[in-house]
Amino acid sequence: MVPPPLPPPPGPATVVAGAVIENGRVLLAQRAAPPELAGRWELPGGKIEPGETPPDALVRELREELGIDVTVGEPVGVHVPLPTGHVLRAYAVRRVAGTPSALDHDAVRWVGAADLHEVDWVPADREWVADLVMLIGPE
Ligand code: C5P
């Protein structure tokens, strides 16, 4: 008899975020909610749903939030623990179709390496600034 598959091990739920990098700039999105994060900028993404891998979730989230299709590449930077108990992970992604629009955010914009330090980041994403500067390269 084949035993049923084991449930996934308990652990912190994951939030994934994507770094779309093109022409020396990374795509940032301005949060509309919750109030304590509204107006601040992030790498777009969201929570992994049951049955999804991190890349599955990122493809779905960027389609829902920005209207773009992406392929998911290498992880970026450290895993960041969130106050909610989630763990936040970033990946470099490549845009393969669509023009980014703020479907779920207040705005989107492309930012070059020299300006990344001055962005009003959501706190967790600030951890990745040095990694993003390295990925983007000099202007
Ligand atoms: O976007 P969403 O609300 O699904 O993300 C869940 C939580 O993950 C947010 O409340 C936010 O605190 C956090 N998050 C973040 N940085 C991101 C994406 C999400 O800190 N790039």
Side-chain angles (χ1 to χ4, degrees):
M1 238 179 60
V2 181
L6 292 170
T14 303
V15 180
V16 286
V20 185
I21 293 169
E22 290 178 23
N23 305 317
R25 296 185 299 171
V26 61
L27 183 65
L28 304 187
Q30 187 176 35
R31 289 195 68 101
E36 63 273 19
L37 296 180
R40 302 178 80 171
W41 295 83
E42 68 175 7
L43 296 184
K47 295 189 188 84
I48 298 185
E49 290 182 355
E52 284 184 326
T53 63
D56 290 340
L58 203 41
V59 167
R60 175 184 51 73
E61 287 284 352
L62 297 193
R63 196 174 284 150
E64 289 173 1
E65 293 188 349
L66 303 174
I68 61 172
D69 288 328
V70 300
T71 56
V72 179
E74 292 298 306
V76 174
V78 293
H79 297 182
V80 185
L82 295 173
T84 54
H86 292 83
V87 169
L88 178 64
R89 303 196 215 173
Y91 294 84
V93 303
R94 178 181 298 274
R95 180 169 67 111
V96 294
T99 302
S101 9
L103 303 177
D104 200 41
H105 288 85
D106 277 344
V108 293
R109 66 174 164 140
W110 296 94
V111 180
D115 297 321
L116 282 182
H117 290 279
E118 307 311 322
V119 167
D120 185 16
W121 290 100
V122 300
D125 294 37
R126 187 168 279 287
E127 293 282 344
W128 302 321
V129 169
D131 304 285
L132 293 171
V133 168
M134 287 226 303
L135 268 181
I136 294 173
E139 289 185 69

